[in-house]
């Protein structure tokens, strides 16, 4: 395999003909064939590719589900059950889609925390990181609207609670809620527009993913030691090295995902959503899907409605400015002895928030969620700016090759 | 109007917690083992068939199962003739060639007939509570199979409750009313059931020892009837469960082999690098 940067010599005449006029084969060759990739990736670097596979899985299963689904309040619930019972392999499609959403979020959360640990958001990758946060926001919107589609009790009441949040915003709040609802409450127009947007947004995500990947190919990948490759000895061509490594990671991840699809398909679900939506009966406990729980906890931790809404959105918005909040020059936590600890504290904090979000806001959950919320913001707004100034990083290796081949690997 | 809705929904969401706490906890569900449990469990079709008989004789008068058609009963092992006979036993509404409303005997392709014309009629006949559709009941409750099994056996004489039970019951009342001195009291038209959240259910005890006689001579005490019934309801909640598990075994084996191969390829490719 040559790793020259020039246009490859294609032998197939058709490929040659096309490539002269539209160099897609040259493009693929450069960006995925010989693309110089740091040689020291660990498996945490596979989660970008895994997220991509999940996005494609969601789109494919979603499109086929949409062929059998009816977006109307009187038929939506039954049409989903018809998919489960009467459509050939409909149960499989639906379970793939439902659990796919959870595993898509698992992959993306790991991908994000990978970035946090190894400082992948720092110069020159700020835009790359910001595009990633945009993807996260779009995913959350998509998943939220998707969850409304089966029109179960949680679909309806979740939609009611979450859309109502926007009414807390001054001036623009009420018009936004009216636009979301298409009427005076969550009803058929809401379901219709959510279905339309649920179909649209994944393709917007694809668009942003293209930008995200393009930005990555400009800046190059970060790597576990966070120093830039200095020459060919520090990199490997993407193919075959990372094609095989990511390929194995994808299969291993899908194995776990499929184990849930086939043997615990309702594990991430709420039993209450197998009850058809009923606007006269409020479920005893309205909870969002698990991937929203930390944000839900932040929302409820603030005793004021507007404050809660702002804090919830702030929890994501703060990620946009993270590249400028973290003042440390060294990227990888491997060489940041103190940051390393704060990173793990943040992970624990997010789990604590998730736990609070899953439980009723009473008893000790109230102080716990408040402390966890404060800590979440303190991590980004206080700890990171200060830490960068006072922490003394460990000495960096001279090159990637040295750190990989010269023994002493942490 | 929207302000009210807005406020209402939020308040509900925030108050939701305590209500749940009031519903859960308390009495532990009865334990039993169902054949369909576990990653490889399958339905016991003899039990499913008996359970259908229990449903038909003891529950169908109040509870619909509108996601099922009579033809689905072929899947639990009933013969074509038996399914036809079961369907023909009920009269369903239809419209004849001239557009007039008529009643005709059911066909296998008809959905299970619902006992009430609509929700209002169902409420009116049941002390204001409407009997939920049972097609998905096992999936629609936490630990659904064991829950319905326990619910059927949870009717009890309140006077016989032990002091410890009383304390739990009073706990419900305190949570529900927010009054620290409240004690548990039954509302009219409600029945005491230790497994129903809040312990007061509008449904009178629907099933008792010996209520249904099985042709195959299986014993018919309450635990057995309840267990068979739950087998049927579990099948109704997910008729494709066996197909799912069978496919799953093949898929997982395939994926394991693929993962092994991928790992071997990766090792080979990387052998010269580090
Ligand atoms: C970013 C990718 C996507 C995510 C995260 C996502 C997420 C979800 C979620 C959480 C549900 C609720 C499932 C349930 O509880 O039953 C759902 C339902 C649904 N989605 Fe998606 N989805 C995605 C892409 C798509 C696409 C591209 C389509 C097709 C055009 C689609 C079509 C549907 C349909 C028809 C339903 C209703 C059927 C059902 O509830 O099972 N989805 N989606």
């Amino acid at each position: 395999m040559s790793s020259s940067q020039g246009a490859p010599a294609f032998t197939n005449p058709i490929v040659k003909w096309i490539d002269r006029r539209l160099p897609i084969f040259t493009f693929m060759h450069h960006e995925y064939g010989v693309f110089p990739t740091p040689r020291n990736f660990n498996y945490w670097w596979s989660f970008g590719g895994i997220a991509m596979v999940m996005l494609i899985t969601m789109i494919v299963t979603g499109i086929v589900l949409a062929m059998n689904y009816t977006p109307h309040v009187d038929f939506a619930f039954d049409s989903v059950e018809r998919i489960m019972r009467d459509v050939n392999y409909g149960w499989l499609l639906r379970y793939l889609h439902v659990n796919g959403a959870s595993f898509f979020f698992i992959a993306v959360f790991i991908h994000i925390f990978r970035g946090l640990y190894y400082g992948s958001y720092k110069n020159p990758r700020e835009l790359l990181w910001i595009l990633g946060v945009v993807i996260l926001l779009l995913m959350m919107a998509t998943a939220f609207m998707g969850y409304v589609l089966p029109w179960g009790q949680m679909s309806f009441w979740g939609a009611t609670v979450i859309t109502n949040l926007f009414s807390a915003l001054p001036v623009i709040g009420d018009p936004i809620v009216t636009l979301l609802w298409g009427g005076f409450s969550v009803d058929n127009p809401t379901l219709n527009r959510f279905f339309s947007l649920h179909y649209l947004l994944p393709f917007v995500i694809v668009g942003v993913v293209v930008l995200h990947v393009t930005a990555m190919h400009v800046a190059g990948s970060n790597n576990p030691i966070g120093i830039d490759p200095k020459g060919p000895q520090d990199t490997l061509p993407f193919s075959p090295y990372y094609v095989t490594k990511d390929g194995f990671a994808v299969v291993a991840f899908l194995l776990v995902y499929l184990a849930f699809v086939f043997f615990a398909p309702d594990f991430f679900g709420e039993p209450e959503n197998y009850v058809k939506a009923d606007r006269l009966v409020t479920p005893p406990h309205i909870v969002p899907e698990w991937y929203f729980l930390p944000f839900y906890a932040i929302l409820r931790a603030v005793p004021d409605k507007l404050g809660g809404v702002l804090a919830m959105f702030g929890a994501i918005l703060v990620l946009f400015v993270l590249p400028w909040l973290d003042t440390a020059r060294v990227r990888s936590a491997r060489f940041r002895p103190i940051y390393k600890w704060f990173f793990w504290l943040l992970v624990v904090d997010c789990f604590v928030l998730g736990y609070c979000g899953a439980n009723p806001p009473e008893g000790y959950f109230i102080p716990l969620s408040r402390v966890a919320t404060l800590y979440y913001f303190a991590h980004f707004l206080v700890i990171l700016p200060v830490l960068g100034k006072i922490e003394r990083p460990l000495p960096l290796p001279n090159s990637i090759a040295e750190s990989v081949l010269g023994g002493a690997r942490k | 109007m929207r302000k009210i809705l807005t406020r209402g929904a939020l308040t509900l969401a925030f108050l939701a917690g305590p209500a749940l706490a009031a519903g859960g906890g308390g009495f532990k569900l009865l334990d039993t083992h169902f054949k369909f449990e576990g990653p490889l469990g399958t339905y016991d079709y003899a039990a499913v068939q008996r359970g259908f008989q229990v449903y038909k004789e003891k529950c169908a008068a109040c509870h619909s199962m509108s996601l099922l058609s009579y033809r689905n009963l072929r899947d639990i092992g009933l013969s074509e003739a038996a399914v036809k006979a079961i369907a023909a036993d009920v009269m369903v509404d239809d419209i004849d060639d001239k557009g007039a409303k008529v009643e005709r005997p059911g066909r296998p392709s008809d959905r299970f007939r619902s006992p009430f014309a609509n929700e209002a009629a169902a409420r009116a006949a049941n002390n204001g509570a409407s009997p939920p559709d049972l097609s998905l009941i096992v999936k629609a409750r936490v630990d659904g199979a064991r829950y319905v099994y326990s619910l059927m056996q949870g009717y009890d004489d309140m006077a016989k409750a032990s002091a410890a039970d009383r304390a739990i019951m009073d706990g419900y009342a305190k949570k529900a009313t927010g009054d620290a001195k409240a004690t548990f009291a039954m509302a009219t038209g409600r029945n005491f059931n230790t497994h129903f959240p809040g312990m007061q259910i509008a449904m009178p005890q629907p099933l008792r020892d010996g209520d249904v006689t099985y042709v195959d001579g299986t014993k018919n005490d309450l635990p057995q009837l309840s267990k068979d019934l739950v087998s049927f309801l579990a099948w109704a909640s997910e008729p494709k469960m066996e197909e799912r598990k069978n496919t799953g075994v093949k898929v997982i084996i395939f994926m394991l082999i693929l993962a092994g191969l991928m790992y071997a390829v990766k090792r080979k490719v990387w052998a010269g690098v580090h």
Side-chain angles (χ1 to χ4, degrees), chain A residues 270-288:
Chain A
E270 269 294 315
E272 195 75 41
N273 222 30
Y274 278 109
V275 180
K276 201 186 284 193
D278 184 345
R279 62 180 65 248
L280 299 177
V281 181
T282 320
H285 193 193
I286 301 175
V287 278

Side-chain angles (χ1 to χ4, degrees), chain A residues 186-269:
Chain A
V186 174
D187 209 328
N188 201 46
T190 324
L191 180 59
N192 274 291
R193 60 194 57 200
F194 278 20
F195 180 50
S196 169
L197 293 175
H198 185 69
Y199 209 135
L200 171 69
L201 287 189
F203 296 93
V204 178
I205 295 179
V206 170
V208 184
V209 167
V210 170
L211 296 179
H212 183 76
V213 173
T214 307
M216 190 197 79
H217 280 233
V218 174
S221 302
N222 186 27
N223 65 78
I225 61 172
I227 62 174
D228 296 327
K230 299 208 170 74
Q233 74 284 1
D234 286 343
T235 64
L236 293 168
F238 191 78
S239 172
Y241 293 99
Y242 287 107
V243 170
T244 53
K245 188 165 182 169
D246 285 355
F248 168 65
V250 166
V251 172
F253 186 83
L254 292 181
L255 185 67
V256 181
Y257 160 48
L258 291 171
F260 276 90
V261 166
F262 288 105
F263 298 109
D266 290 316
F267 178 83
F268 294 102

Side-chain angles (χ1 to χ4, degrees), chain A residues 39 43 77-78 81 84-86 89 91 95 160-161 164 167 174 178 181 184-185 236 240-242 244-245 247-248 251 254-255 258-259 262-263 265-266 271 274-275 282 284-285 300 305 360 362 405, chain B residues 2-3 5-6 9-10 12-14 16-18 20-21 39 67-68 71 135-136 139-142 236-240 243-245 247-249 251-252 255-256 258-259 262-263 265-266 269-270 273:
Chain A
R39 64 189 301 154
Y43 276 108
F77 186 88
D78 287 356
E81 273 307 314
M84 296 294 288
R85 289 156 192 266
D86 293 335
Y89 288 101
W91 57 269
Y95 283 152
T160 302
V161 171
N164 262 315
S167 70
D174 280 353
T178 309
W181 284 348
F184 298 106
S185 66
L236 293 168
Y241 293 99
Y242 287 107
T244 53
K245 188 165 182 169
F248 168 65
V251 172
L254 292 181
L255 185 67
L258 291 171
F262 288 105
F263 298 109
D266 290 316
Y274 278 109
V275 180
T282 320
H285 193 193
R300 296 189 304 183
K305 184 175 168 190
E362 55 176 7
L405 306 171
Chain B
R2 191 161 76 228
K3 280 269 136 54
L5 271 176
T6 305
L10 267 186
L12 284 170
F14 282 77
L20 173 87
L67 294 176
L68 292 188
R71 67 179 165 82
S135 320
L136 279 167
K139 279 194 168 213
R141 294 289 181 276
V142 178
S237 282
E238 198 184 359
K240 295 291 170 70
E243 192 183 345
R244 160 165 74 76
K245 290 175 178 173
T247 316
V249 171
V251 168
I252 296 296
M255 291 300 285
L256 280 172
L258 185 63
M262 294 295 289
Y263 189 64
V265 171
K266 188 251 158 192
V269 166
W270 282 75
V273 180

Side-chain angles (χ1 to χ4, degrees), chain A residues 54-70 76 79-81 83-84 90 93-95 97-102 104-105 135 138-151 155 195-203 205-206 269-270 273-274 289 291-292:
Chain A
M54 292 315 297
L55 175 61
I56 295 167
T57 307
M58 294 309 286
I59 291 181
V60 172
T61 53
I63 289 176
V64 187
L65 278 175
M67 295 174 188
N68 297 286
Y69 167 80
T70 312
S79 78
V80 170
E81 273 307 314
I83 291 171
M84 296 294 288
L93 280 171
R94 171 150 188 264
Y95 283 152
H97 199 75
V98 176
N99 290 283
S102 284
F104 191 13
F105 273 95
I135 295 172
L138 287 168
M139 277 174 67
M140 295 176 91
T142 308
F144 165 66
M145 293 195 251
Y147 194 58
V148 177
L149 302 185
W151 208 244
S155 301
F195 180 50
S196 169
L197 293 175
H198 185 69
Y199 209 135
L200 171 69
L201 287 189
F203 296 93
I205 295 179
V206 170
E270 269 294 315
N273 222 30
Y274 278 109
E289 293 270 84
Y291 32 81
F292 294 130

